[in-house]
Amino acid sequence: SHAGTRSLANARGKREGTGTMAKTIAITGGGAGLGLAMAQRLSRDGHELFLLGRTLAKVEAAAARIAEAGGRAHALACAVGDP
């Protein structure tokens, strides 16, 4: 696990023009700031994203921005802090 991201193998196979596999990636805090910046970059690299955050409206807006740019992103509300 790397700075809030977790990668899972994706059946889509290799990304076009690269020798690397496309992945499905979950990003905590994906609705704003560093999480959103990582999501936008990973989307441009061809990965499918699940954006996670405490405020559903924020991650939905972020997923919509990524989709408008041609990426694949899904929004989920969750809290990963201590209960």
Side-chain angles (χ1 to χ4, degrees), residues 43-44 64-73:
S43 176
R44 284 192 303 270
R65 287 175 59 185
I66 290 169
E68 288 169 5
R72 296 191 315 157

Side-chain angles (χ1 to χ4, degrees), residues 27 29-32 36 50-65 73-79:
I27 300 176
L36 176 57
F50 282 84
L51 307 181
L52 310 172
R54 291 178 298 188
T55 308
L56 183 58
K58 275 185 165 181
V59 288
E60 285 178 332
R65 287 175 59 185
H74 313 277
L76 297 167
C78 75

Side-chain angles (χ1 to χ4, degrees), residues 4-70:
T5 63
R6 184 173 78 119
S7 301
L8 303 171
N10 186 333
R12 288 191 306 153
K14 292 189 178 186
R15 293 180 298 167
E16 205 171 299
T18 72
T20 60
M21 297 292 288
K23 299 193 181 292
T24 300
I25 301 171
I27 300 176
T28 57
L34 184 58
L36 176 57
M38 288 189 310
Q40 290 169 324
R41 172 56 195 252
L42 291 165
S43 176
R44 284 192 303 270
D45 288 345
H47 301 291
E48 181 176 13
L49 307 171
F50 282 84
L51 307 181
L52 310 172
R54 291 178 298 188
T55 308
L56 183 58
K58 275 185 165 181
V59 288
E60 285 178 332
R65 287 175 59 185
I66 290 169
E68 288 169 5

